[in-house]
Amino acid sequence: MEHTVMYPVDAIKTRMQIAKSSNIYSGIINAVTKISAAEGATSLWRGMTSVIMGAGPAHAIYFTVFETIKKNLSAKYGEHNPLVSAVSGASATITHDALMNPFDVVKQRMQLIKTNNSVINCIKTIYHTEGFRAFYVSYPTTLIMNIPFAAVNFSVYDTTSKLLNPNKHYDPLVHCIAGGIAGASAAAITTPLDVVKTVLQTKGGGSTTARLNSFVDGVKFIYNSGGLAGFARGMRPRIVANMPSTAISWTSYEMAKFYLYKTEMISGVKSKN
């Protein structure tokens, strides 16, 4: 749900971040209109299958690592410690991205290149033309971006949740609001890194960017082609996409945890009786 609900906005963000498309779209509505007119409205959903394939197992690993590390650190440093949340989130991100990165590469290639009409065809094309390395060339950059993203996300979420719900009762509205604030904050702060990641992951789409093979290469290319302003490309759609998607993620997570714990407690009481 987190990745699919706002997927068209994410597709627009990807296109805005590519240097050759930086001046084509004046805003989200303008982008929707132009892309739909030129390629059809369904083109905004192209590549979503790749996200669906990777998101389930990747998020399962993400929250498993997060809960395990947070539980161990909280026992020593306290449960409401922003640093504990940040470290737990960063650790979860490293494992999550190791699994999700190839799916994200395929997703962004399909968001840009309409000839990639299926996930399997796109995977084959990337592998045969660029090799296996292409699926992980952006992994270091992804970590550089997502570790601070996760740190801000978890820290802001925990802090906001504590302020809005000091008694820690299950409250979907509070979880949704706190998740939205956390997602928007993390998205805004890490947009420059996301631009670098997008350039590296979509380098096969152009002869110029095909030579980019590292974080430093990406930074130099963006600065030379757009100056400092180039690192802010796509910030608005990135925030618009991440705010509801992160809210959905946290609300779903808290709901699942609440009902699973509730079921576990009921089962425990029944077994004792």
Side-chain angles (χ1 to χ4, degrees):
M1 288 294 290
E2 174 189 356
H3 288 287
T4 57
V5 170
M6 299 301 292
Y7 188 84
V9 181
D10 180 76
I12 291 169
K13 183 263 318 179
T14 296
R15 295 196 181 209
M16 284 184 172
Q17 289 180 338
I18 301 304
K20 60 185 178 182
S21 302
S22 60
N23 296 318
I24 292 179
Y25 310 123
S26 59
I28 297 175
I29 302 300
N30 178 259
V32 170
T33 303
K34 286 189 174 182
I35 294 171
S36 297
E39 304 172 35
T42 57
S43 63
L44 291 169
W45 299 93
R46 194 168 54 233
M48 192 175 71
T49 304
S50 179
V51 174
I52 294 173
M53 290 170 61
H59 278 66
I61 292 174
Y62 185 82
F63 282 110
T64 299
V65 173
F66 171 73
E67 285 289 346
T68 301
I69 294 179
K70 185 179 180 183
K71 181 179 180 180
N72 292 329
L73 292 179
S74 295
K76 185 175 182 180
Y77 299 106
E79 188 172 355
H80 291 294
N81 187 325
L83 184 59
V84 168
S85 298
V87 171
S88 302
S91 301
T93 296
I94 293 172
T95 53
H96 167 277
D97 290 346
L99 176 59
M100 193 66 191
N101 205 84
F103 294 99
D104 197 51
V105 171
V106 173
K107 177 204 75 171
Q108 289 202 312
R109 295 293 181 94
M110 293 186 71
Q111 286 176 333
L112 293 176
I113 307 172
K114 57 184 177 181
T115 53
N116 290 322
N117 55 4
S118 75
V119 171
I120 300 302
N121 286 342
C122 186
I123 292 173
K124 289 180 179 179
T125 300
I126 295 172
Y127 181 75
H128 288 308
T129 58
E130 301 171 54
F132 181 77
R133 185 175 181 273
F135 295 103
Y136 280 96
V137 69
S138 63
Y139 182 56
T141 303
T142 300
L143 288 181
I144 292 172
M145 177 189 74
N146 280 346
I147 288 177
F149 182 97
V152 173
N153 182 15
F154 281 96
S155 299
V156 172
Y157 178 78
D158 271 2
T159 302
T160 306
S161 295
K162 185 179 179 181
L163 291 173
L164 298 178
N165 188 14
N167 295 322
K168 294 179 60 180
H169 294 308
Y170 172 64
D171 189 331
L173 181 59
V174 169
H175 300 320
C176 184
I177 293 173
I181 294 173
S185 302
I189 291 172
T190 58
T191 291
L193 296 169
D194 188 57
V195 178
V196 179
K197 178 181 77 75
T198 297
V199 166
L200 290 175
Q201 290 190 168
T202 60
K203 64 175 185 171
S207 58
T208 304
T209 55
R211 297 192 300 270
L212 306 179
N213 293 306
S214 69
F215 175 77
V216 174
D217 288 343
V219 170
K220 288 180 178 178
F221 176 80
I222 294 166
Y223 183 76
N224 291 335
S225 61
L228 291 177
F231 293 97
R233 288 175 184 153
M235 179 178 289
R236 186 176 298 175
R238 179 168 160 78
I239 292 174
V240 170
N242 272 275
M243 193 169 184
S245 65
T246 309
I248 289 170
S249 178
W250 276 114
T251 304
S252 302
Y253 168 68
E254 295 287 4
M255 179 182 68
K257 188 166 72 169
F258 173 76
Y259 284 108
L260 287 172
Y261 283 170
K262 184 178 180 180
T263 302
E264 184 179 326
M265 290 177 65
I266 292 174
S267 299
V269 171
K270 287 182 178 179
S271 63
K272 288 181 180 179
N273 294 334

